[in-house]
Amino acid sequence: MPPADTGASTELRVGASTAPFPRTTTTAAAPPATAAPERQAAPASEPAADSGRLARRCRAAASRARRRPNPSGPRPCRPAPGKAARESGPNSGPAPARTPGTPEHGPAAGGAGQGADSDGGKLRPGGPGYRRMSFGLLAAGISTFALLYSTQALLPAISGDLGVSPGQASWTVSAATGALALAVLPLSALSERFGRRTLMTVSLSVAAVIALLTPFAPNLGWLVALRAVQGAALAGVPASAMAYLAEEVRGKALVGAIGLFVAGNSIGGMSGRILTGWVAQAWGWRAALAAVGLLAAVCAVVFRLLVPRARHFTSRPVGPRALARTIGGHLADPLLRRLYAIGALFMTVFGAVYTVIGYRLIEGPFNLPQGVVGSIFLVYLVGTLSSAAAGQLVARLGRRSALYLAVGTTALGLLLTLTSTLLAVLLGLVLITAGFFAGHAVASSSVSRTATTGRAQASALYQSAYYLGSSAGGTLGAIAFHAAGWEGTVVLGLAAMVGAASITLYATRKALAQRRALAAAR
């Protein structure tokens, strides 16, 4: 279970101004200090400059120790008798004794430099290994989304060839995303034991092999079954990737790093749909699925060759009881529950729109051929840019404001698609895509920063909610389209965005109430 908040912050552990949602905190009483036997009260006439020189020497010694670790253990930097007590203030009491073998500077000390020291040695933009990590996870994201939604642009062709309705054909997408949502939690537990990099490699490889088998499915039942197995295999990638980034990348660069991974998702979704669209127009939908399988195999090899080995991962087996406790702790956190709901609602819109849009564009008044319909997914490039820029958006507006902007952009795009002008529909898809990927990057990075323990399970719960939203959106969107046309799909999407805006508004009001209460208490 996540540790209880200490009361130092009322929001998402990154400062009150940038957190998306407030969290209730409890202020624990400080334990009584234990006086070290060697520390005595200092004479009042002792020069204050000595303490400054001592602090500088201690910082320099800690820096040297980090660069050249002492095999026999850290060397303590002890202040002169009484200085620590005087520097900490007249009412602070004597300084606590240090546990032998624990350095007074760095993460274990819990002092002011804790944040910097805890990020020591982690990947950062411009640093060694960061670019390889970025391109490797980009390849993993491309493979994941290209495989997961490989049949989405082919649904009209599958319906015509197999003689099934749009709702039945949509199960080739919903089965994959639904199986991923169910398998992501148990596979995230395996990543705690065998490592994030290993699990992602196995997941990408198995999914690519299954992708090469799907073109030979004799009927819809076999196709849906293979797609479900493929989605379950892919479940090892999303939660492991988020946990890998949270452990290996510096905190200030985390949103940008996750944004790059999400950008890989958008590139995979775009390239997979464009590739299948044009290949299907020339050789049929079965050849299109084979082409995506080959792309996924190449991405799996690139990922394994580029992604650096984890340096901050500690293997620990997770039993069923421990896993249940960790999941229960995350689900008991109201902040995480809100983030999970927002991810699911954004993905409901995205799944509904892109499952149905092919049917709308091949019908009147547009009457577009299959290859051109697949090329419509070039708008995913906008998602690549918006997710990669999510870090800058959060830094400028704050997390809640960034979510409001994402919701508004998505809703405006839905309304634009109601027109019968192709240019307006394309602009609407651009806005929907930009809003979705920005909202997803902000929400998923917030989950990674919120969870201090069981990060893989916290990310896995987000991915479960996210892909359950995709499954629900794809199926409900197809049903709404069959019953009420494109207008029914748009109404479904707008209802989901109203839900996301309401959750964010509730969090905003709660944060303001907590700030007023703190101001009144002072």
Side-chain angles (χ1 to χ4, degrees):
M1 294 179 62
D5 290 334
T6 61
S9 171
T10 60
E11 300 209 35
L12 175 60
R13 298 185 180 93
V14 291
S17 62
T18 60
F21 305 107
R23 64 189 310 140
T24 305
T25 61
T26 56
T27 303
T34 303
E38 71 270 23
R39 296 184 178 178
Q40 308 292 334
S45 60
E46 188 169 347
D50 290 345
S51 63
R53 286 194 295 272
L54 175 65
R56 288 192 294 272
R57 287 199 298 272
C58 287
R59 287 194 294 268
S63 177
R64 288 194 299 273
R66 286 193 297 271
R67 293 195 301 268
R68 298 186 297 276
N70 187 354
S72 62
R75 180 176 298 173
C77 180
R78 302 181 186 275
K83 287 185 179 181
R86 188 185 69 251
E87 291 168 6
S88 59
N91 299 322
S92 61
R98 183 176 61 87
T99 303
T102 303
E104 293 181 3
H105 299 274
Q114 181 175 355
D117 289 340
S118 63
D119 277 350
K122 291 191 175 184
L123 299 174
R124 58 180 176 81
Y130 186 86
R131 181 171 296 180
R132 289 180 58 216
M133 179 273 297
S134 299
F135 281 111
L137 286 178
L138 187 72
I142 290 173
S143 177
T144 300
F145 253 50
L147 289 175
L148 200 59
Y149 296 99
S150 57
T151 62
Q152 198 169 58
L154 303 174
L155 292 180
I158 293 174
S159 293
D161 185 42
L162 300 181
V164 296
S165 67
Q168 291 173 315
S170 70
W171 277 105
T172 62
V173 180
S174 298
T177 55
L180 187 152
L182 295 176
V184 69
L185 274 169
L187 288 186
S188 71
L190 291 181
S191 79
E192 299 284 358
R193 174 64 179 86
F194 298 104
R196 326 295 188 194
R197 182 171 174 261
T198 299
L199 186 63
M200 284 189 281
T201 301
V202 172
S203 293
L204 291 171
S205 302
V206 172
V209 170
I210 296 174
L212 295 174
L213 297 176
T214 54
F216 302 100
N219 52 47
L220 181 65
W222 274 101
L223 181 59
V224 170
L226 286 171
R227 291 282 294 152
V229 176
Q230 189 178 62
L234 284 171
V237 178
S240 298
M242 299 297 180
Y244 176 89
L245 290 170
E247 291 166 352
E248 304 297 325
V249 177
R250 290 193 176 187
K252 291 184 178 179
L254 183 59
V255 176
I258 290 180
L260 286 174
F261 175 67
V262 176
N265 293 345
S266 66
I267 293 174
M270 174 194 69
S271 59
R273 289 166 172 89
I274 293 174
L275 178 65
T276 55
W278 285 106
V279 173
Q281 183 171 316
W283 295 290
W285 63 270
R286 295 180 185 273
L289 291 181
V292 173
L294 292 174
L295 172 65
V298 172
C299 287
V301 173
V302 170
F303 168 82
R304 184 64 181 184
L305 292 177
L306 289 184
V307 170
R309 292 182 179 272
R311 299 174 58 191
H312 301 272
F313 169 75
T314 302
S315 175
R316 50 189 179 276
V318 180
R321 291 184 179 179
L323 180 62
R325 285 195 300 270
T326 302
I327 293 173
H330 291 324
L331 291 177
D333 190 324
L335 190 154
L336 288 175
R337 289 201 304 267
R338 290 193 287 268
L339 291 171
Y340 297 154
I342 285 176
L345 290 169
F346 267 108
M347 196 55 171
T348 298
V349 176
F350 199 68
V353 167
Y354 279 101
T355 297
V356 176
I357 191 64
Y359 288 101
R360 188 187 185 206
L361 294 178
I362 64 173
E363 295 177 351
F366 307 110
N367 299 312
L368 298 180
Q370 182 69 55
V372 176
V373 169
S375 299
I376 294 297
F377 292 96
L378 277 170
V379 298
Y380 263 52
L381 287 173
V382 178
T384 304
L385 297 175
S386 65
S387 56
Q392 297 179 359
L393 187 67
V394 169
R396 181 171 299 181
L397 301 178
R399 295 179 185 265
R400 284 193 299 272
S401 297
L403 286 175
Y404 283 129
L405 181 60
V407 168
T409 303
T410 305
L412 179 59
L414 286 168
L415 293 174
L416 279 175
T417 60
L418 290 171
T419 65
S420 57
T421 304
L422 181 60
L423 183 61
V425 172
L426 293 179
L427 179 58
L429 291 176
V430 166
L431 294 178
I432 292 169
T433 305
F436 161 74
F437 276 105
H440 169 43
V442 173
S444 59
S445 63
S446 298
V447 169
S448 296
R449 292 189 66 101
T450 300
T452 57
T453 60
R455 280 185 172 131
Q457 285 73 46
S459 295
L461 284 170
Y462 176 83
Q463 298 295 332
S464 293
Y466 177 79
Y467 286 110
L468 283 175
S470 176
S471 296
T475 301
L476 294 176
I479 293 173
F481 180 77
H482 184 72
W486 181 252
E487 290 79 5
T489 305
V490 170
V491 169
L492 174 67
L494 290 175
M497 287 297 91
V498 168
S502 300
I503 293 172
T504 310
L505 179 61
Y506 168 81
T508 302
R509 296 181 65 179
K510 192 171 183 179
L512 292 175
Q514 287 185 356
R515 290 177 186 174
R516 286 194 294 266
L518 287 175
R522 294 174 186 170

